[in-house]
mmCIF file of all heavy atoms in Angstrom:
data_model
loop_
_atom_site.group_PDB
_atom_site.id
_atom_site.type_symbol
_atom_site.label_atom_id
_atom_site.label_comp_id
_atom_site.label_asym_id
_atom_site.label_seq_id
_atom_site.Cartn_x
_atom_site.Cartn_y
_atom_site.Cartn_z
ATOM 1 N N ARG W 1 58.132 22.954 45.502
ATOM 2 C CA ARG W 1 58.970 22.793 46.696
ATOM 3 C C ARG W 1 58.183 22.062 47.788
ATOM 4 O O ARG W 1 58.662 21.143 48.427
ATOM 5 C CB ARG W 1 59.463 24.135 47.216
ATOM 6 C CG ARG W 1 60.400 23.973 48.413
ATOM 7 C CD ARG W 1 60.802 25.262 49.109
ATOM 8 N NE ARG W 1 61.271 26.310 48.234
ATOM 9 C CZ ARG W 1 60.617 27.450 47.999
ATOM 10 N NH1 ARG W 1 59.444 27.686 48.553
ATOM 11 N NH2 ARG W 1 61.136 28.360 47.205
ATOM 12 N N ARG W 2 56.942 22.471 47.985
ATOM 13 C CA ARG W 2 56.077 21.846 48.995
ATOM 14 C C ARG W 2 55.869 20.363 48.685
ATOM 15 O O ARG W 2 55.929 19.520 49.583
ATOM 16 C CB ARG W 2 54.743 22.587 49.051
ATOM 17 C CG ARG W 2 53.936 22.341 50.285
ATOM 18 C CD ARG W 2 52.711 23.250 50.406
ATOM 19 N NE ARG W 2 53.067 24.664 50.397
ATOM 20 C CZ ARG W 2 52.743 25.525 49.425
ATOM 21 N NH1 ARG W 2 52.041 25.136 48.388
ATOM 22 N NH2 ARG W 2 53.105 26.788 49.486
ATOM 23 N N LEU W 3 55.644 20.041 47.424
ATOM 24 C CA LEU W 3 55.440 18.643 47.029
ATOM 25 C C LEU W 3 56.688 17.795 47.258
ATOM 26 O O LEU W 3 56.603 16.648 47.684
ATOM 27 C CB LEU W 3 55.009 18.559 45.560
ATOM 28 C CG LEU W 3 53.620 19.107 45.234
ATOM 29 C CD1 LEU W 3 53.410 19.173 43.728
ATOM 30 C CD2 LEU W 3 52.541 18.263 45.893
ATOM 31 N N VAL W 4 57.853 18.378 46.996
ATOM 32 C CA VAL W 4 59.113 17.645 47.206
ATOM 33 C C VAL W 4 59.380 17.473 48.698
ATOM 34 O O VAL W 4 59.686 16.372 49.169
ATOM 35 C CB VAL W 4 60.293 18.366 46.508
ATOM 36 C CG1 VAL W 4 61.619 17.754 46.915
ATOM 37 C CG2 VAL W 4 60.130 18.302 44.986
ATOM 38 N N LEU W 5 59.234 18.554 49.463
ATOM 39 C CA LEU W 5 59.520 18.483 50.901
ATOM 40 C C LEU W 5 58.543 17.587 51.654
ATOM 41 O O LEU W 5 58.902 16.973 52.655
ATOM 42 C CB LEU W 5 59.537 19.878 51.517
ATOM 43 C CG LEU W 5 60.744 20.729 51.158
ATOM 44 C CD1 LEU W 5 60.569 22.157 51.667
ATOM 45 C CD2 LEU W 5 62.022 20.129 51.711
ATOM 46 N N SER W 6 57.319 17.501 51.183
ATOM 47 C CA SER W 6 56.330 16.662 51.850
ATOM 48 C C SER W 6 56.409 15.200 51.404
ATOM 49 O O SER W 6 55.726 14.348 51.951
ATOM 50 C CB SER W 6 54.923 17.203 51.604
ATOM 51 O OG SER W 6 54.591 17.096 50.234
ATOM 52 N N GLY W 7 57.239 14.926 50.395
ATOM 53 C CA GLY W 7 57.406 13.553 49.936
ATOM 54 C C GLY W 7 56.420 13.117 48.864
ATOM 55 O O GLY W 7 56.453 11.979 48.409
ATOM 56 N N VAL W 8 55.534 14.004 48.452
ATOM 57 C CA VAL W 8 54.603 13.676 47.368
ATOM 58 C C VAL W 8 55.395 13.392 46.092
ATOM 59 O O VAL W 8 55.079 12.470 45.347
ATOM 60 C CB VAL W 8 53.566 14.799 47.159
ATOM 61 C CG1 VAL W 8 52.712 14.541 45.933
ATOM 62 C CG2 VAL W 8 52.697 14.960 48.399
ATOM 63 N N ILE W 9 56.428 14.186 45.872
ATOM 64 C CA ILE W 9 57.382 13.914 44.800
ATOM 65 C C ILE W 9 58.614 13.341 45.493
ATOM 66 O O ILE W 9 59.253 14.017 46.305
ATOM 67 C CB ILE W 9 57.753 15.181 44.006
ATOM 68 C CG1 ILE W 9 56.514 15.761 43.318
ATOM 69 C CG2 ILE W 9 58.838 14.868 42.976
ATOM 70 C CD1 ILE W 9 56.755 17.070 42.591
ATOM 71 N N ALA W 10 58.911 12.090 45.222
ATOM 72 C CA ALA W 10 59.999 11.389 45.914
ATOM 73 C C ALA W 10 61.364 11.812 45.394
ATOM 74 O O ALA W 10 61.496 12.316 44.275
ATOM 75 C CB ALA W 10 59.826 9.876 45.715
ATOM 76 N N GLN W 11 62.379 11.570 46.236
ATOM 77 C CA GLN W 11 63.763 11.845 45.852
ATOM 78 C C GLN W 11 64.077 11.144 44.538
ATOM 79 O O GLN W 11 63.708 9.988 44.330
ATOM 80 C CB GLN W 11 64.704 11.346 46.941
ATOM 81 C CG GLN W 11 66.162 11.474 46.593
ATOM 82 C CD GLN W 11 67.054 10.971 47.712
ATOM 83 O OE1 GLN W 11 66.726 11.112 48.879
ATOM 84 N NE2 GLN W 11 68.177 10.390 47.350
ATOM 85 N N ASP W 12 64.722 11.858 43.639
ATOM 86 C CA ASP W 12 65.139 11.374 42.323
ATOM 87 C C ASP W 12 63.975 11.075 41.376
ATOM 88 O O ASP W 12 64.180 10.546 40.293
ATOM 89 C CB ASP W 12 66.044 10.134 42.445
ATOM 90 C CG ASP W 12 67.318 10.436 43.196
ATOM 91 O OD1 ASP W 12 67.892 11.526 42.986
ATOM 92 O OD2 ASP W 12 67.754 9.591 44.006
ATOM 93 N N GLU W 13 62.752 11.431 41.775
ATOM 94 C CA GLU W 13 61.600 11.254 40.879
ATOM 95 C C GLU W 13 61.647 12.333 39.807
ATOM 96 O O GLU W 13 61.955 13.493 40.073
ATOM 97 C CB GLU W 13 60.295 11.358 41.662
ATOM 98 C CG GLU W 13 59.060 11.131 40.810
ATOM 99 C CD GLU W 13 57.774 11.160 41.626
ATOM 100 O OE1 GLU W 13 57.826 10.917 42.847
ATOM 101 O OE2 GLU W 13 56.725 11.437 41.017
ATOM 102 N N LYS W 14 61.322 11.936 38.589
ATOM 103 C CA LYS W 14 61.336 12.871 37.465
ATOM 104 C C LYS W 14 60.138 13.802 37.551
ATOM 105 O O LYS W 14 59.015 13.367 37.778
ATOM 106 C CB LYS W 14 61.309 12.108 36.146
ATOM 107 C CG LYS W 14 61.495 12.983 34.924
ATOM 108 C CD LYS W 14 61.529 12.135 33.654
ATOM 109 C CE LYS W 14 61.839 12.920 32.415
ATOM 110 N NZ LYS W 14 61.137 14.173 32.234
ATOM 111 N N LEU W 15 60.406 15.091 37.386
ATOM 112 C CA LEU W 15 59.341 16.082 37.331
ATOM 113 C C LEU W 15 58.792 16.150 35.915
ATOM 114 O O LEU W 15 59.479 15.763 34.964
ATOM 115 C CB LEU W 15 59.876 17.464 37.730
ATOM 116 C CG LEU W 15 59.938 17.781 39.214
ATOM 117 C CD1 LEU W 15 60.887 16.885 39.951
ATOM 118 C CD2 LEU W 15 60.314 19.220 39.428
ATOM 119 N N PRO W 16 57.571 16.653 35.757
ATOM 120 C CA PRO W 16 57.043 16.814 34.396
ATOM 121 C C PRO W 16 57.957 17.727 33.590
ATOM 122 O O PRO W 16 58.578 18.642 34.142
ATOM 123 C CB PRO W 16 55.679 17.475 34.612
ATOM 124 C CG PRO W 16 55.348 17.278 36.044
ATOM 125 C CD PRO W 16 56.638 17.117 36.770
ATOM 126 N N SER W 17 58.035 17.486 32.307
ATOM 127 C CA SER W 17 58.843 18.358 31.463
ATOM 128 C C SER W 17 58.235 19.755 31.468
ATOM 129 O O SER W 17 57.064 19.953 31.820
ATOM 130 C CB SER W 17 58.890 17.822 30.033
ATOM 131 O OG SER W 17 57.631 18.005 29.410
ATOM 132 N N VAL W 18 59.035 20.727 31.082
ATOM 133 C CA VAL W 18 58.570 22.111 31.031
ATOM 134 C C VAL W 18 57.338 22.218 30.134
ATOM 135 O O VAL W 18 56.324 22.801 30.516
ATOM 136 C CB VAL W 18 59.702 23.050 30.528
ATOM 137 C CG1 VAL W 18 59.172 24.435 30.210
ATOM 138 C CG2 VAL W 18 60.823 23.114 31.563
ATOM 139 N N ARG W 19 57.403 21.620 28.964
ATOM 140 C CA ARG W 19 56.274 21.703 28.024
ATOM 141 C C ARG W 19 55.044 20.985 28.552
ATOM 142 O O ARG W 19 53.924 21.470 28.407
ATOM 143 C CB ARG W 19 56.675 21.122 26.666
ATOM 144 C CG ARG W 19 57.612 22.017 25.923
ATOM 145 C CD ARG W 19 57.927 21.474 24.568
ATOM 146 N NE ARG W 19 58.943 22.316 23.928
ATOM 147 C CZ ARG W 19 59.441 22.098 22.759
ATOM 148 N NH1 ARG W 19 59.066 21.052 22.054
ATOM 149 N NH2 ARG W 19 60.351 22.914 22.254
ATOM 150 N N GLU W 20 55.264 19.828 29.172
ATOM 151 C CA GLU W 20 54.150 19.047 29.718
ATOM 152 C C GLU W 20 53.424 19.830 30.815
ATOM 153 O O GLU W 20 52.196 19.932 30.813
ATOM 154 C CB GLU W 20 54.695 17.728 30.276
ATOM 155 C CG GLU W 20 53.656 16.784 30.823
ATOM 156 C CD GLU W 20 54.283 15.522 31.396
ATOM 157 O OE1 GLU W 20 55.442 15.195 31.053
ATOM 158 O OE2 GLU W 20 53.610 14.870 32.208
ATOM 159 N N LEU W 21 54.197 20.403 31.759
ATOM 160 C CA LEU W 21 53.587 21.153 32.852
ATOM 161 C C LEU W 21 52.941 22.439 32.338
ATOM 162 O O LEU W 21 51.854 22.814 32.789
ATOM 163 C CB LEU W 21 54.627 21.456 33.938
ATOM 164 C CG LEU W 21 54.096 22.010 35.250
ATOM 165 C CD1 LEU W 21 53.005 21.125 35.843
ATOM 166 C CD2 LEU W 21 55.236 22.190 36.242
ATOM 167 N N ALA W 22 53.568 23.087 31.382
ATOM 168 C CA ALA W 22 52.990 24.302 30.796
ATOM 169 C C ALA W 22 51.659 23.986 30.128
ATOM 170 O O ALA W 22 50.693 24.744 30.247
ATOM 171 C CB ALA W 22 53.958 24.917 29.793
ATOM 172 N N SER W 23 51.593 22.844 29.474
ATOM 173 C CA SER W 23 50.357 22.425 28.823
ATOM 174 C C SER W 23 49.270 22.109 29.861
ATOM 175 O O SER W 23 48.113 22.519 29.702
ATOM 176 C CB SER W 23 50.627 21.197 27.954
ATOM 177 O OG SER W 23 49.442 20.727 27.390
ATOM 178 N N GLN W 24 49.647 21.395 30.917
ATOM 179 C CA GLN W 24 48.692 21.041 31.977
ATOM 180 C C GLN W 24 48.109 22.293 32.637
ATOM 181 O O GLN W 24 46.920 22.341 32.954
ATOM 182 C CB GLN W 24 49.363 20.193 33.059
ATOM 183 C CG GLN W 24 49.651 18.778 32.675
ATOM 184 C CD GLN W 24 50.445 18.050 33.763
ATOM 185 O OE1 GLN W 24 50.692 18.580 34.838
ATOM 186 N NE2 GLN W 24 50.839 16.828 33.466
ATOM 187 N N LEU W 25 48.972 23.295 32.873
ATOM 188 C CA LEU W 25 48.545 24.501 33.573
ATOM 189 C C LEU W 25 48.072 25.609 32.630
ATOM 190 O O LEU W 25 47.621 26.651 33.078
ATOM 191 C CB LEU W 25 49.688 25.030 34.451
ATOM 192 C CG LEU W 25 50.160 24.092 35.558
ATOM 193 C CD1 LEU W 25 51.394 24.669 36.257
ATOM 194 C CD2 LEU W 25 49.054 23.827 36.561
ATOM 195 N N ALA W 26 48.201 25.369 31.340
ATOM 196 C CA ALA W 26 47.804 26.334 30.305
ATOM 197 C C ALA W 26 48.503 27.683 30.503
ATOM 198 O O ALA W 26 47.868 28.746 30.528
ATOM 199 C CB ALA W 26 46.288 26.502 30.268
#
């Protein structure tokens, strides 16, 4: 939410897939 509201993740930008983010964060 913070990343979206601060503009780090832009409007309509694709977020990492569930599996991709789960893998990144272990």
Side-chain angles (χ1 to χ4, degrees):
R1 183 188 311 112
R2 198 171 302 113
L3 292 171
V4 170
L5 287 172
S6 66
V8 173
I9 298 176
Q11 175 180 326
D12 298 320
E13 182 177 337
K14 187 177 185 314
L15 276 64
S17 72
V18 169
R19 287 183 185 179
E20 183 182 340
L21 191 54
S23 176
Q24 286 174 5
L25 298 174

